[in-house]
Amino acid sequence: MKYRLQCAAAVAAFAVFATDIQAQDCKPLGRYASVPLSTSSDFRRLYVPVEIAGKPMRMLLDTGASVTLINASTAKALGLETHDSPIRVYSLTGDSSDKYVETSFKISAMSLPKFQFPVSKQFEDLDQSDVVGLLGANVLSHFDVSVDPVGKTLDLMSQDHCPDRVIYWPTKVLAKIPFKPAEDGSIIVEIKLDGKPVKAILDTGAWNSTLRIPTAEHLYNIAPGSPDAPVSGILNGAENLTTYHHTFKTLDFDGVTVANPAIELIPDKLSRPFTEVPTGSHISVTDEGVAPPMLIGMDILRHTRFYIAYKAHMLYVTPPTEPAAAPAPAK
């Protein structure tokens, strides 16, 4: 799920959980917290237990969101005072808010007495009443983040460790993919879809994976509405934004392959609020500041286990594994 920032001046700094560590040569991998995740009924959403204003709640784990936010109804229910913010938060559909609340925030044993939560006027129904917001990149990027969808575990790791020595579970196959973080904190990687390179956003907040229609037409000669790309619905309730469905043969993370990925083909208008790419463009969108044409959601990511090294700008992907012993706590 995409939430982006827009601000006329410098964006205000957010408090972070991670403790600064004195640099040493090649430290072993260390862990701040191991957080049990819960899932939606279709196993396409990962929820993180948190405490907000001292009350237990859950947030959607969302690597595609630039900020950690709560919904307006939660802020009201908690009796939190709303403030004007220099930060404007946009949802994928263009809805925006420039309000925030300040209260305590806790994940596992890590807590802050004051944390500023942007307040969302509207975001997608998360199908659980106690899921009150999104845990986004402004918090996650201060750690290395290890996600095990099968084992339902989120490990928040120290970023101070030996290069490339991050995989602490048994695996025979390992993909190492450099990524270029976008201004909004999005993780942009290059994968191969049916053997062709495509730029994509890694988004644990999205339940499905999408590809913009112009790219599907240009790279794969897919005709929307044809037998292999039938109509699947409409986008965000807009009758004029028809979506289509196509099953590709493979999606490859540099050697870790997901077979038969079912991808939603979406209109180019989806990126219109954030880019200068005209609707219907056949340009392969890879330029600086322009959203990639593909989004990889949990329908694909749940078939992997992955480690995001935010500081090193590396994504590590393996096939899913059984739970393994975790590394020692970070000091």
Side-chain angles (χ1 to χ4, degrees):
M1 182 179 296
K2 298 299 297 173
Y3 276 82
R4 297 172 180 259
L5 297 179
Q6 185 177 44
C7 184
V11 175
F14 280 86
V16 300
F17 292 114
T19 303
D20 290 335
I21 303 176
Q22 295 297 321
Q24 296 180 10
D25 290 340
C26 201
K27 284 187 175 182
L29 191 63
R31 183 185 65 183
Y32 288 109
S34 185
V35 184
L37 300 173
S38 54
T39 67
S40 59
S41 56
D42 60 4
F43 298 98
R44 292 188 181 188
R45 295 194 186 281
L46 299 176
Y47 301 130
V48 183
V50 299
E51 287 187 14
I52 299 174
K55 298 186 180 299
M57 300 178 179
R58 292 188 295 167
M59 306 188 90
L60 179 71
L61 179 65
D62 195 348
T63 59
S66 57
V67 293
T68 297
L69 56 80
I70 61 174
N71 58 36
S73 61
T74 298
K76 183 177 180 180
L78 292 173
L80 301 175
E81 182 179 358
T82 302
H83 306 278
D84 292 331
S85 173
I87 299 171
R88 181 168 291 275
V89 180
Y90 282 92
S91 74
L92 186 62
T93 57
D95 297 315
S96 66
S97 174
D98 58 358
K99 305 295 182 181
Y100 76 91
V101 295
E102 186 173 86
T103 189
S104 62
F105 188 28
K106 183 177 181 180
I107 302 177
S108 188
M110 300 177 294
S111 63
L112 286 173
K114 293 183 179 181
F115 186 86
Q116 291 183 356
F117 292 94
V119 176
S120 173
K121 294 179 181 178
Q122 178 183 359
F123 58 80
E124 188 177 352
D125 180 11
L126 299 179
D127 82 6
Q128 303 287 336
S129 61
D130 65 335
V131 178
V132 299
L134 312 175
L135 181 62
N138 69 317
V139 170
L140 296 173
S141 63
H142 291 280
F143 305 92
D144 278 4
V145 173
S146 176
V147 182
D148 180 4
V150 173
K152 298 182 182 180
T153 304
L154 167 69
D155 285 338
L156 300 177
M157 315 296 291
S158 168
Q159 295 182 333
D160 188 12
H161 54 72
C162 300
D164 274 344
R165 298 184 186 177
V166 299
I167 301 303
Y168 52 90
W169 58 89
T171 184
K172 295 181 180 179
V173 181
L174 171 63
K176 297 190 295 183
I177 307 171
F179 67 81
K180 187 174 183 179
E183 280 188 29
D184 65 357
S186 299
I187 298 167
I188 300 174
V189 297
E190 184 174 279
I191 55 89
K192 287 186 177 180
L193 186 63
D194 281 5
K196 297 180 179 181
V198 179
K199 297 287 187 181
I201 294 175
L202 192 83
D203 192 351
T204 60
W207 70 271
N208 66 339
S209 298
T210 62
L211 182 69
R212 290 209 296 264
I213 289 173
T215 303
E217 293 172 328
H218 179 68
L219 286 184
Y220 300 99
N221 296 317
I222 296 172
S226 63
D228 66 344
V231 172
S232 60
I234 58 175
L235 187 64
N236 298 322
E239 295 290 342
N240 63 326
L241 298 180
T242 303
T243 62
Y244 305 86
H245 175 90
H246 181 78
T247 300
F248 290 82
K249 294 179 181 178
T250 59
L251 187 150
D252 182 64
F253 293 98
D254 192 31
V256 176
T257 301
V258 176
N260 302 316
I263 308 295
E264 198 81 1
L265 308 181
I266 61 173
D268 197 84
K269 285 186 178 180
L270 186 64
S271 63
R272 184 68 175 181
F274 313 113
T275 77
E276 297 300 320
V277 178
T279 300
S281 170
H282 286 239
I283 298 172
S284 180
V285 184
T286 58
D287 294 335
E288 184 71 25
V290 179
M294 187 172 184
L295 182 148
I296 301 174
M298 283 306 303
D299 59 329
I300 288 175
L301 293 175
R302 64 178 176 163
H303 299 294
T304 71
R305 186 172 180 178
F306 55 98
Y307 186 109
I308 304 168
Y310 275 100
K311 184 177 179 180
H313 299 167
M314 290 292 294
L315 172 68
Y316 302 85
V317 183
T318 76
T321 62
E322 295 297 324
K331 296 181 180 180

